[in-house]
Protein backbone atom coordinates (compact mmCIF):
# COMPACT_ATOMS: atom_id res chain seq x y z
CA UNK A 1 0.00 0.00 0.00
CA UNK A 2 2.84 2.39 0.85
CA UNK A 3 4.46 1.66 -2.50
CA UNK A 4 1.31 2.56 -4.42
CA UNK A 5 0.85 5.68 -2.32
CA UNK A 6 4.43 6.82 -2.97
CA UNK A 7 4.09 6.26 -6.71
CA UNK A 8 0.71 8.01 -6.90
CA UNK A 9 1.76 11.10 -4.93
CA UNK A 10 5.06 11.36 -6.79
CA UNK A 11 3.25 11.12 -10.12
CA UNK A 12 0.63 13.74 -9.19
CA UNK A 13 3.15 16.31 -7.93
CA UNK A 14 5.51 15.97 -10.88
CA UNK A 15 2.78 15.78 -13.53
CA UNK A 16 1.20 19.04 -12.37
CA UNK A 17 4.63 20.58 -11.79
CA UNK A 18 5.67 19.96 -15.38
CA UNK A 19 2.57 21.56 -16.89
CA UNK A 20 3.49 25.27 -16.47
CA UNK A 21 5.03 26.51 -19.72
CA UNK A 22 8.81 26.74 -19.30
CA UNK A 23 11.83 26.77 -21.56
CA UNK A 24 12.16 22.97 -21.38
CA UNK A 25 8.65 22.58 -22.75
CA UNK A 26 9.40 25.18 -25.43
CA UNK A 27 12.57 23.36 -26.47
CA UNK A 28 10.63 20.10 -26.56
CA UNK A 29 7.94 21.73 -28.68
CA UNK A 30 10.55 22.95 -31.14
CA UNK A 31 12.18 19.52 -31.34
CA UNK A 32 8.82 17.82 -31.83
CA UNK A 33 7.71 20.21 -34.56
CA UNK A 34 11.02 20.05 -36.43
CA UNK A 35 12.28 16.52 -35.77
CA UNK A 36 9.25 14.42 -34.86
CA UNK A 37 8.02 12.25 -32.01
CA UNK A 38 11.07 9.97 -31.89
CA UNK A 39 13.47 12.81 -31.05
CA UNK A 40 11.00 14.32 -28.60
CA UNK A 41 11.00 11.07 -26.62
CA UNK A 42 14.80 11.05 -26.42
CA UNK A 43 14.78 14.71 -25.39
CA UNK A 44 12.40 13.88 -22.54
CA UNK A 45 14.62 10.96 -21.53
CA UNK A 46 17.47 13.46 -21.19
CA UNK A 47 15.32 15.72 -19.02
CA UNK A 48 14.23 12.80 -16.85
CA UNK A 49 17.85 11.60 -16.51
CA UNK A 50 18.87 14.84 -14.80
CA UNK A 51 15.60 14.98 -12.87
CA UNK A 52 16.42 11.61 -11.31
CA UNK A 53 19.45 13.01 -9.48
CA UNK A 54 17.73 16.28 -8.58
CA UNK A 55 14.73 14.54 -7.00
CA UNK A 56 16.87 11.95 -5.23
CA UNK A 57 19.25 14.40 -3.58
CA UNK A 58 16.62 17.02 -2.74
CA UNK A 59 14.62 14.24 -1.14
CA UNK A 60 17.58 13.20 1.03
CA UNK A 61 18.73 16.72 1.90
CA UNK A 62 15.45 18.64 1.82
CA UNK A 63 15.71 19.97 5.36
CA UNK A 64 19.36 20.98 4.96
CA UNK A 65 18.69 22.82 1.71
CA UNK A 66 15.75 24.72 3.17
CA UNK A 67 17.91 25.78 6.14
CA UNK A 68 20.63 27.07 3.78
CA UNK A 69 19.08 30.51 3.40
CA UNK A 70 22.05 31.91 1.50
CA UNK A 71 21.71 29.30 -1.24
CA UNK A 72 17.95 29.81 -1.47
CA UNK A 73 18.49 33.56 -1.74
CA UNK A 74 20.99 33.14 -4.57
CA UNK A 75 18.55 30.88 -6.42
CA UNK A 76 15.69 33.35 -5.94
CA UNK A 77 17.71 36.26 -7.35
CA UNK A 78 19.14 34.17 -10.15
CA UNK A 79 15.61 33.22 -11.19
CA UNK A 80 14.87 36.88 -11.92
CA UNK A 81 17.88 37.24 -14.21
CA UNK A 82 17.11 33.88 -15.79
CA UNK A 83 13.48 34.72 -16.64
CA UNK A 84 14.24 38.11 -18.15
CA UNK A 85 17.21 36.59 -19.96
CA UNK A 86 14.93 34.00 -21.55
CA UNK A 87 12.50 36.73 -22.59
CA UNK A 88 15.32 38.59 -24.33
CA UNK A 89 16.63 35.37 -25.89
CA UNK A 90 13.32 34.43 -27.51
CA UNK A 91 12.53 37.97 -28.62
CA UNK A 92 15.95 38.73 -30.07
CA UNK A 93 16.62 35.42 -31.80
CA UNK A 94 13.18 34.97 -33.33
CA UNK A 95 13.24 38.57 -34.48
CA UNK A 96 16.21 37.60 -36.60
CA UNK A 97 14.30 34.85 -38.41
CA UNK A 98 13.15 37.35 -41.02
CA UNK A 99 16.79 38.04 -41.85
CA UNK A 100 18.45 34.71 -41.22
CA UNK A 101 17.75 31.10 -40.32
CA UNK A 102 16.03 29.98 -37.16
CA UNK A 103 18.51 30.06 -34.26
CA UNK A 104 16.94 27.07 -32.55
CA UNK A 105 17.76 24.98 -35.61
CA UNK A 106 21.41 25.13 -34.59
CA UNK A 107 20.99 22.94 -31.55
CA UNK A 108 18.78 20.45 -33.37
CA UNK A 109 21.90 19.00 -34.97
CA UNK A 110 22.90 17.56 -31.59
CA UNK A 111 21.47 14.47 -29.93
CA UNK A 112 18.04 15.29 -28.43
CA UNK A 113 19.03 13.31 -25.34
CA UNK A 114 22.09 15.54 -24.83
CA UNK A 115 19.97 18.64 -25.41
CA UNK A 116 17.56 17.48 -22.70
CA UNK A 117 20.42 16.81 -20.27
CA UNK A 118 22.15 20.16 -20.88
CA UNK A 119 19.02 22.31 -20.76
CA UNK A 120 17.74 20.65 -17.59
CA UNK A 121 21.11 21.23 -15.92
CA UNK A 122 20.34 24.97 -16.22
CA UNK A 123 16.87 24.52 -14.76
CA UNK A 124 17.87 25.87 -11.34
CA UNK A 125 14.30 26.65 -10.34
CA UNK A 126 13.67 22.95 -9.87
CA UNK A 127 15.86 22.96 -6.74
CA UNK A 128 13.53 25.08 -4.57
CA UNK A 129 10.52 23.44 -6.23
CA UNK A 130 11.50 19.88 -5.35
CA UNK A 131 13.07 20.81 -2.02
CA UNK A 132 9.88 22.51 -0.84
CA UNK A 133 7.59 19.75 -2.10
CA UNK A 134 9.70 16.93 -0.68
CA UNK A 135 9.94 18.65 2.68
CA UNK A 136 6.18 19.25 2.70
CA UNK A 137 5.39 15.64 1.81
CA UNK A 138 7.82 14.30 4.40
CA UNK A 139 6.61 16.57 7.19
CA UNK A 140 3.00 15.74 6.37
CA UNK A 141 3.86 12.03 6.24
CA UNK A 142 2.28 11.75 2.79
CA UNK A 143 5.20 9.63 1.62
CA UNK A 144 7.50 7.09 3.27
CA UNK A 145 11.17 6.89 2.30
CA UNK A 146 12.47 4.12 4.53
CA UNK A 147 14.69 1.62 2.72
CA UNK A 148 13.51 1.04 -0.86
CA UNK A 149 10.21 2.91 -0.52
CA UNK A 150 11.82 6.16 -1.63
CA UNK A 151 12.58 4.63 -5.02
CA UNK A 152 8.87 4.08 -5.64
CA UNK A 153 8.26 7.76 -4.96
CA UNK A 154 11.09 8.76 -7.30
CA UNK A 155 9.76 6.40 -9.98
CA UNK A 156 6.34 8.01 -9.72
CA UNK A 157 7.81 11.51 -10.06
CA UNK A 158 9.85 10.58 -13.13
CA UNK A 159 6.84 9.04 -14.85
CA UNK A 160 4.86 12.17 -14.03
CA UNK A 161 7.54 14.49 -15.44
CA UNK A 162 7.75 12.51 -18.66
CA UNK A 163 4.00 12.20 -19.24
CA UNK A 164 3.28 15.76 -18.11
CA UNK A 165 5.76 17.32 -20.54
CA UNK A 166 4.84 14.91 -23.31
CA UNK A 167 1.12 15.63 -22.99
CA UNK A 168 1.61 19.40 -22.92
CA UNK A 169 3.97 19.46 -25.90
CA UNK A 170 1.74 17.26 -28.06
CA UNK A 171 -1.31 19.34 -27.09
CA UNK A 172 0.41 22.61 -27.94
CA UNK A 173 1.63 21.28 -31.27
CA UNK A 174 -1.91 20.19 -32.13
CA UNK A 175 -3.28 23.64 -31.27
CA UNK A 176 -0.61 25.40 -33.30
CA UNK A 177 -1.31 23.29 -36.36
CA UNK A 178 -4.95 24.33 -36.20
CA UNK A 179 -4.12 28.00 -35.73
CA UNK A 180 -1.19 29.07 -37.89
CA UNK A 181 -1.84 32.75 -37.12
CA UNK A 182 -1.37 32.13 -33.39
CA UNK A 183 1.71 29.95 -33.84
CA UNK A 184 3.32 32.64 -36.03
CA UNK A 185 3.44 35.01 -33.07
CA UNK A 186 4.06 32.44 -30.34
CA UNK A 187 7.86 32.60 -30.13
CA UNK A 188 8.54 36.27 -31.00
CA UNK A 189 5.67 37.79 -28.98
CA UNK A 190 3.73 35.57 -26.57
CA UNK A 191 6.67 33.58 -25.18
CA UNK A 192 8.82 36.66 -24.37
CA UNK A 193 5.79 38.29 -22.71
CA UNK A 194 5.22 35.12 -20.70
CA UNK A 195 8.78 35.17 -19.35
CA UNK A 196 8.54 38.90 -18.63
CA UNK A 197 5.43 38.13 -16.57
CA UNK A 198 7.18 35.25 -14.77
CA UNK A 199 10.23 37.43 -14.13
CA UNK A 200 8.06 40.23 -12.76
CA UNK A 201 6.25 37.75 -10.52
CA UNK A 202 9.62 36.50 -9.26
CA UNK A 203 10.64 40.10 -8.51
CA UNK A 204 7.47 40.50 -6.44
CA UNK A 205 8.21 37.25 -4.57
CA UNK A 206 11.80 38.31 -3.83
CA UNK A 207 10.68 41.75 -2.67
CA UNK A 208 8.03 40.27 -0.40
CA UNK A 209 10.39 37.63 0.96
CA UNK A 210 13.58 39.64 1.55
CA UNK A 211 12.66 43.32 1.68
CA UNK A 212 9.07 43.82 2.77
CA UNK A 213 9.27 41.80 5.98
CA UNK A 214 12.12 43.81 7.63
CA UNK A 215 10.30 47.04 6.75
CA UNK A 216 7.20 45.82 8.59
CA UNK A 217 9.27 45.01 11.62
CA UNK A 218 10.61 48.56 11.75
Amino acid sequence: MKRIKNISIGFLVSFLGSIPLGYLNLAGLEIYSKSGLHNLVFFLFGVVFVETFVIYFTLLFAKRLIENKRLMKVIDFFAIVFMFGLAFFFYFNFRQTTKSHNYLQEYLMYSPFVIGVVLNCFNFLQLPFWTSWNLYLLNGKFITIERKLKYYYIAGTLIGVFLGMFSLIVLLQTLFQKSSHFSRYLMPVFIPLLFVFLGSFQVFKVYKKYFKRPALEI
Side-chain angles (χ1 to χ4, degrees):
M1 189 66 183
K2 290 182 179 180
R3 297 175 182 177
I4 298 177
K5 184 179 180 181
N6 277 9
I7 293 175
S8 301
I9 292 178
F11 175 85
L12 181 61
V13 170
S14 60
F15 185 89
L16 296 177
S18 64
I19 292 300
L21 194 62
Y23 74 98
L24 288 176
N25 288 323
L26 294 176
L29 179 61
E30 185 71 10
I31 290 174
Y32 180 46
S33 62
K34 297 295 191 300
S35 304
L37 184 63
H38 180 265
N39 285 330
L40 171 62
V41 171
F42 278 98
F43 168 77
L44 294 179
F45 281 151
V47 172
V48 168
F49 177 77
V50 175
E51 206 76 2
T52 303
F53 297 97
V54 173
I55 296 172
Y56 178 78
F57 287 109
T58 54
L59 182 64
L60 294 182
F61 303 107
K63 292 184 178 180
R64 295 183 183 179
L65 289 174
I66 286 292
E67 292 173 357
N68 191 334
K69 296 182 179 180
R70 180 176 297 180
L71 176 61
M72 291 295 103
K73 188 173 183 179
V74 170
I75 292 175
D76 285 336
F77 277 93
F78 177 82
I80 297 175
V81 179
F82 189 63
M83 289 299 176
F84 285 113
L86 285 175
F88 174 80
F89 169 82
F90 280 101
Y91 175 76
F92 177 78
N93 284 289
F94 282 92
R95 191 181 180 185
Q96 303 304 312
T97 56
T98 56
K99 301 178 181 179
S100 60
H101 65 285
N102 192 336
Y103 180 82
L104 289 181
Q105 287 281 8
E106 295 183 2
Y107 70 67
L108 293 179
M109 68 179 67
Y110 300 104
S111 166
F113 178 84
V114 174
I115 295 172
V117 170
V118 172
L119 291 182
N120 203 17
C121 286
F122 288 95
N123 187 20
F124 299 105
L125 293 178
Q126 63 184 323
L127 291 177
F129 173 83
W130 282 114
T131 300
S132 301
W133 264 111
N134 290 336
L135 186 61
Y136 171 77
L137 294 175
L138 288 172
N139 288 340
K141 297 182 179 180
F142 295 105
I143 59 175
T144 307
I145 61 172
E146 285 85 4
R147 299 179 181 178
K148 295 182 179 181
L149 288 174
K150 60 177 171 289
Y151 298 115
Y152 289 92
Y153 167 73
I154 294 175
T157 59
L158 298 180
I159 295 173
V161 169
F162 183 92
L163 293 181
M165 292 186 65
F166 181 85
S167 302
L168 178 62
I169 291 170
V170 172
L171 176 61
L172 289 175
Q173 179 63 13
T174 302
L175 293 176
F176 297 156
Q177 288 178 343
K178 294 182 178 180
S179 178
S180 59
H181 181 74
F182 177 73
S183 61
R184 184 186 308 170
Y185 295 99
L186 173 70
M187 294 298 185
V189 179
F190 296 128
I191 297 305
L193 288 177
L194 171 65
F195 283 116
V196 168
F197 171 77
L198 293 175
S200 301
F201 181 70
Q202 183 67 19
V203 170
F204 173 76
K205 287 174 59 181
V206 168
Y207 170 76
K208 185 177 180 180
K209 184 176 181 179
Y210 298 108
F211 298 100
K212 189 175 181 179
R213 189 175 300 172
L216 291 176
E217 292 176 357
I218 293 175

